[in-house]
PDB file of all heavy atoms in Angstrom:
ATOM      1  N   ALA A 468      -6.314  15.703  14.167  1.00 97.00           N
ATOM      2  CA  ALA A 468      -4.906  15.827  14.565  1.00 97.00           C
ATOM      3  C   ALA A 468      -4.456  17.281  14.507  1.00 97.00           C
ATOM      4  O   ALA A 468      -3.702  17.743  15.379  1.00 97.00           O
ATOM      5  CB  ALA A 468      -4.028  14.960  13.663  1.00 97.00           C
ATOM      6  N   LYS A 469      -4.895  18.013  13.497  1.00 96.00           N
ATOM      7  CA  LYS A 469      -4.552  19.434  13.405  1.00 96.00           C
ATOM      8  C   LYS A 469      -5.112  20.208  14.599  1.00 96.00           C
ATOM      9  O   LYS A 469      -4.440  21.075  15.164  1.00 96.00           O
ATOM     10  CB  LYS A 469      -5.078  20.018  12.098  1.00 96.00           C
ATOM     11  CG  LYS A 469      -4.316  19.585  10.857  1.00 96.00           C
ATOM     12  CD  LYS A 469      -4.849  20.282   9.616  1.00 96.00           C
ATOM     13  CE  LYS A 469      -4.017  19.951   8.386  1.00 96.00           C
ATOM     14  NZ  LYS A 469      -4.520  20.647   7.175  1.00 96.00           N
ATOM     15  N   VAL A 470      -6.342  19.889  14.954  1.00 96.00           N
ATOM     16  CA  VAL A 470      -6.956  20.552  16.104  1.00 96.00           C
ATOM     17  C   VAL A 470      -6.202  20.203  17.385  1.00 96.00           C
ATOM     18  O   VAL A 470      -5.944  21.072  18.229  1.00 96.00           O
ATOM     19  CB  VAL A 470      -8.447  20.157  16.217  1.00 96.00           C
ATOM     20  CG1 VAL A 470      -9.045  20.674  17.524  1.00 96.00           C
ATOM     21  CG2 VAL A 470      -9.237  20.693  15.030  1.00 96.00           C
ATOM     22  N   ALA A 471      -5.813  18.936  17.531  1.00 97.00           N
ATOM     23  CA  ALA A 471      -5.093  18.512  18.732  1.00 97.00           C
ATOM     24  C   ALA A 471      -3.742  19.220  18.845  1.00 97.00           C
ATOM     25  O   ALA A 471      -3.328  19.611  19.942  1.00 97.00           O
ATOM     26  CB  ALA A 471      -4.906  16.997  18.717  1.00 97.00           C
ATOM     27  N   LEU A 472      -3.041  19.390  17.726  1.00 96.00           N
ATOM     28  CA  LEU A 472      -1.770  20.119  17.758  1.00 96.00           C
ATOM     29  C   LEU A 472      -1.975  21.564  18.193  1.00 96.00           C
ATOM     30  O   LEU A 472      -1.185  22.112  18.964  1.00 96.00           O
ATOM     31  CB  LEU A 472      -1.110  20.079  16.376  1.00 96.00           C
ATOM     32  CG  LEU A 472      -0.400  18.791  15.967  1.00 96.00           C
ATOM     33  CD1 LEU A 472       0.128  18.908  14.548  1.00 96.00           C
ATOM     34  CD2 LEU A 472       0.743  18.464  16.915  1.00 96.00           C
ATOM     35  N   LEU A 473      -3.032  22.169  17.700  1.00 95.00           N
ATOM     36  CA  LEU A 473      -3.295  23.566  18.031  1.00 95.00           C
ATOM     37  C   LEU A 473      -3.786  23.728  19.460  1.00 95.00           C
ATOM     38  O   LEU A 473      -3.643  24.802  20.052  1.00 95.00           O
ATOM     39  CB  LEU A 473      -4.324  24.144  17.052  1.00 95.00           C
ATOM     40  CG  LEU A 473      -4.470  25.662  16.992  1.00 95.00           C
ATOM     41  CD1 LEU A 473      -3.138  26.326  16.693  1.00 95.00           C
ATOM     42  CD2 LEU A 473      -5.508  26.064  15.945  1.00 95.00           C
ATOM     43  N   GLU A 474      -4.357  22.660  20.025  1.00 95.00           N
ATOM     44  CA  GLU A 474      -4.864  22.714  21.395  1.00 95.00           C
ATOM     45  C   GLU A 474      -3.864  22.173  22.417  1.00 95.00           C
ATOM     46  O   GLU A 474      -4.239  21.864  23.546  1.00 95.00           O
ATOM     47  CB  GLU A 474      -6.182  21.930  21.492  1.00 95.00           C
ATOM     48  CG  GLU A 474      -7.323  22.571  20.716  1.00 95.00           C
ATOM     49  CD  GLU A 474      -8.607  21.774  20.826  1.00 95.00           C
ATOM     50  OE1 GLU A 474      -8.549  20.638  21.376  1.00 95.00           O
ATOM     51  OE2 GLU A 474      -9.663  22.260  20.370  1.00 95.00           O
ATOM     52  N   HIS A 475      -2.624  22.017  21.996  1.00 94.00           N
ATOM     53  CA  HIS A 475      -1.550  21.616  22.920  1.00 94.00           C
ATOM     54  C   HIS A 475      -1.788  20.206  23.472  1.00 94.00           C
ATOM     55  O   HIS A 475      -1.560  19.914  24.632  1.00 94.00           O
ATOM     56  CB  HIS A 475      -1.453  22.636  24.062  1.00 94.00           C
ATOM     57  CG  HIS A 475      -0.228  22.472  24.895  1.00 94.00           C
ATOM     58  ND1 HIS A 475      -0.269  22.345  26.256  1.00 94.00           N
ATOM     59  CD2 HIS A 475       1.085  22.385  24.562  1.00 94.00           C
ATOM     60  CE1 HIS A 475       0.950  22.198  26.735  1.00 94.00           C
ATOM     61  NE2 HIS A 475       1.794  22.221  25.726  1.00 94.00           N
ATOM     62  N   ARG A 476      -2.234  19.280  22.581  1.00 95.00           N
ATOM     63  CA  ARG A 476      -2.435  17.879  22.959  1.00 95.00           C
ATOM     64  C   ARG A 476      -1.564  17.011  22.048  1.00 95.00           C
ATOM     65  O   ARG A 476      -2.047  16.366  21.126  1.00 95.00           O
ATOM     66  CB  ARG A 476      -3.911  17.495  22.840  1.00 95.00           C
ATOM     67  CG  ARG A 476      -4.816  18.226  23.827  1.00 95.00           C
ATOM     68  CD  ARG A 476      -6.260  17.740  23.771  1.00 95.00           C
ATOM     69  NE  ARG A 476      -6.944  18.178  22.560  1.00 95.00           N
ATOM     70  CZ  ARG A 476      -7.396  17.380  21.612  1.00 95.00           C
ATOM     71  NH1 ARG A 476      -7.219  16.064  21.714  1.00 95.00           N
ATOM     72  NH2 ARG A 476      -8.024  17.862  20.560  1.00 95.00           N
ATOM     73  N   LEU A 477      -0.266  17.032  22.321  1.00 95.00           N
ATOM     74  CA  LEU A 477       0.688  16.365  21.438  1.00 95.00           C
ATOM     75  C   LEU A 477       0.473  14.857  21.395  1.00 95.00           C
ATOM     76  O   LEU A 477       0.574  14.237  20.328  1.00 95.00           O
ATOM     77  CB  LEU A 477       2.117  16.697  21.871  1.00 95.00           C
ATOM     78  CG  LEU A 477       3.240  16.070  21.036  1.00 95.00           C
ATOM     79  CD1 LEU A 477       3.094  16.443  19.574  1.00 95.00           C
ATOM     80  CD2 LEU A 477       4.597  16.487  21.574  1.00 95.00           C
ATOM     81  N   GLY A 478       0.190  14.237  22.543  1.00 94.00           N
ATOM     82  CA  GLY A 478      -0.024  12.787  22.565  1.00 94.00           C
ATOM     83  C   GLY A 478      -1.207  12.378  21.709  1.00 94.00           C
ATOM     84  O   GLY A 478      -1.118  11.431  20.915  1.00 94.00           O
ATOM     85  N   ASP A 479      -2.335  13.099  21.839  1.00 96.00           N
ATOM     86  CA  ASP A 479      -3.513  12.795  21.018  1.00 96.00           C
ATOM     87  C   ASP A 479      -3.228  13.060  19.544  1.00 96.00           C
ATOM     88  O   ASP A 479      -3.646  12.286  18.672  1.00 96.00           O
ATOM     89  CB  ASP A 479      -4.706  13.639  21.476  1.00 96.00           C
ATOM     90  CG  ASP A 479      -5.164  13.278  22.876  1.00 96.00           C
ATOM     91  OD1 ASP A 479      -4.849  12.160  23.334  1.00 96.00           O
ATOM     92  OD2 ASP A 479      -5.824  14.113  23.519  1.00 96.00           O
ATOM     93  N   ALA A 480      -2.548  14.158  19.265  1.00 96.00           N
ATOM     94  CA  ALA A 480      -2.241  14.497  17.870  1.00 96.00           C
ATOM     95  C   ALA A 480      -1.379  13.429  17.223  1.00 96.00           C
ATOM     96  O   ALA A 480      -1.588  13.067  16.057  1.00 96.00           O
ATOM     97  CB  ALA A 480      -1.539  15.850  17.811  1.00 96.00           C
TER      98      ALA A 480
END
Side-chain angles (χ1 to χ4, degrees):
K469 287 184 175 181
V470 172
L472 283 177
L473 195 56
E474 293 180 351
H475 192 233
R476 294 185 288 116
L477 180 56
D479 294 339

